[in-house]
Amino acid sequence: MSCSAAGGLALVAVAPRAGLGIDLEPAGPGPEGDEWLAAPELARLAGHAGEGTGEGIERTRAWTAKEAVLKAEGTGLRRDPRTVVTPAGGRGRLGSWWLAPLPVPAGWVATAALDRRWDPARVRVRPLTPERLR
């Protein structure tokens, strides 16, 4: 099980007998500064410079992919995020982890990391908001 929350939205993911990590963030410029990005990611993001929303979503996607892997490993931010070099679009293989974006409401970005190949189309996502919990 893994969970993530930001603003008024939360995700809880369950994958029986699998290593799992997820992260959820509002779509935007991502964390400030570049010190959390590895050199290949900086180069890839430079290709999106000036795209406005596209650049921000790619930065946020890189961050959610890093956080998903770090949560799945159980290290969290005790491990330097620069050592996790994410694939383009937050989708693909990263070491022993398989990454893919999760479907979330517009204005949000979420990524899951599992320790086995998985089909994102089979993922059931149920957003949890404070209003739905009442």
Side-chain angles (χ1 to χ4, degrees), residues 37-104:
L37 290 162
E41 294 165 325
L42 285 167
R44 186 176 72 233
L45 290 170
H48 291 282
E51 290 182 11
T53 304
E55 179 183 10
I57 288 174
E58 285 303 310
R59 284 179 61 85
T60 304
R61 176 76 59 214
W63 180 254
T64 62
K66 287 175 184 282
E67 282 253 49
V69 168
L70 295 172
K71 288 178 180 182
E73 289 180 341
T75 59
L77 292 174
R78 292 185 308 267
R79 178 176 168 191
D80 184 346
R82 289 173 294 190
T83 65
V84 178
V85 182
T86 61
R91 177 185 304 275
R93 186 136 190 203
L94 176 63
S96 60
W97 302 103
W98 292 88
L99 302 170
L102 293 173
V104 289

Side-chain angles (χ1 to χ4, degrees), residues 6 22 36 38 56 77 82 86 89 92 101-102 107-108 112 117-118 126 131:
I22 62 169
W36 56 276
L77 292 174
R82 289 173 294 190
T86 61
L102 293 173
W108 295 89
R117 180 174 237 150
W118 58 286
R126 294 184 179 97
E131 296 76 29

